[in-house]
């Protein structure tokens, strides 16, 4: 029928269009940009979706409000990359009461998994273990003073990457002398590293464990501003393997990177489609990660999609 902009109660705006509300964390890092692009590519109009996108600027209250807004709009499904693990029970219950399925992508929540249909993402604890295993092999029984640039406080990756790393370096001579959040941003990493350098001096720090590349890149700026050589005077191990991080690895300013694959869009879209079709889905869908030395990064950097 002409002029039919979709009847008021029609969640999809067209009977075969699937309207999806996506509550993204924000735009804090290169990883996040790649993840957002992957999600927008998968939830495209040509794939039959009407995507309502919200980036919450790393503000949990804003992200929860965005999800409430999606519920009020009566979308067909909601996808969330939850900034932090806690505080989701109420709004997830409201979505369930409204009969709107929720898929989590990337980060996860502490709420019961009855409150979401599925989660797709990475094994953050394993990423921390892989970073820690490199540090243990590299520094082993050499007394090593390490500072940590933590991800967003309360986020699953920050919690799990810390736990995994600590487990992997137990019994080594690596001593965590300080640890502070840089909120996964380049500026945050730079500011926190400047503080560490003020406090301990270049010679008082041997290793930086950065929970993501963006904070590692900020730390590199701070170390160079202090007249020291990142990757040499102070070694750096990081997680994500985004383009700028891999370039720093090739340039010898970072020593090892554990990948965290941001290309989750196709899997998330498949889960939404399956859930709406009433198909059974896995509660957790893990994507594999890999690791890179400086030599390996040089081999692959030009062929990587992000
Ligand atoms: C991890 C993701 C983290 C990245 C950061 O899957 O949630 O958030 O490691 C990003 O770069 O900000
Ligand atoms: Zn309609």
């Amino acid at each position: 029928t002409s002029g039919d902009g979709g009847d008021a109660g029609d969640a999809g705006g067209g009977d075969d269009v699937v309207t999806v509300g996506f509550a993204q964390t924000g735009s804090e890092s290169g990883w996040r940009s790649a993840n957002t692009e992957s999600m927008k590519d998968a939830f495209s109009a040509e794939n039959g979706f009407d995507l309502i996108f919200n980036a919450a600027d790393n503000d949990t209250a804003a992200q929860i409000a965005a999800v409430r807004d999606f519920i009020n709009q009566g979308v067909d499904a909601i996808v969330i990359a939850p900034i932090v693990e806690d505080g989701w029970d109420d709004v997830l219950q409201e979505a369930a009461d409204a009969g709107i399925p929720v898929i989590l992508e990337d980060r996860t929540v502490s709420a019961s998994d009855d409150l979401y249909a599925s989660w797709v993402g990475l094994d953050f604890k394993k990423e921390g273990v892989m970073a820690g295993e490199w540090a243990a092999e590299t520094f082993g029984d050499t007394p090593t003073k390490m500072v940590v640039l933590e991800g967003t406080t309360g986020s699953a990756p920050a919690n799990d990457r810390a736990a995994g790393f600590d487990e992997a370096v137990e019994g080594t001579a690596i001593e965590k002398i300080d640890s502070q959040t840089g909120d996964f941003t380049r500026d945050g990493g730079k500011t926190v590293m400047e503080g560490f350098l003020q406090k301990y001096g270049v010679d008082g720090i041997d290793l930086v464990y950065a929970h993501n590349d963006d904070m590692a890149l900020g730390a590199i700026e701070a170390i160079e501003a202090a007249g020291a050589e990142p990757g040499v005077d102070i070694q750096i191990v990081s997680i994500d393997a985004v383009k700028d991080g891999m370039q720093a690895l090739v340039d010898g300013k970072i020593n090892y990177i554990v990948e965290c694959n941001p290309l989750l869009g196709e899997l998330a879209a498949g889960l939404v489609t399956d859930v709406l079709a009433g198909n059974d889905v896995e509660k957790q869908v893990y994507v594999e990660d890999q690791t890179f030395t400086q030599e390996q990064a040089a081999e692959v950097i030009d062929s990587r999609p992000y």
Side-chain angles (χ1 to χ4, degrees), residues 124-137:
F124 300 132
K125 180 162 186 187
K126 190 173 168 192
E127 293 169 348
V129 167
M130 292 192 280
E133 284 173 344
W134 172 83
E137 281 159 36

Side-chain angles (χ1 to χ4, degrees), residues 30 186 213-214 217 220 241-251 254 257 301 306:
R186 204 175 286 213
D213 291 350
D214 287 68
L217 292 162
I220 285 168
V242 293
K243 187 68 79 182
D244 290 350
M246 293 292 270
Q247 189 57 57
L249 184 58
V250 169
D251 296 344
I254 293 180
I257 295 185
I301 189 163
Y306 60 91

Side-chain angles (χ1 to χ4, degrees), residues 15 18 37 59 65 71 75 93 96-97 132 153 159 167 199 205 210 260 266 293:
D15 296 309
V18 175
E37 188 179 345
D59 175 338
I71 295 170
V75 297
Q93 187 57 59
D97 296 345
T153 303
N159 292 334
E167 246 177 54
K199 198 169 172 185
I205 300 170
C260 176
E266 289 300 326
T293 61

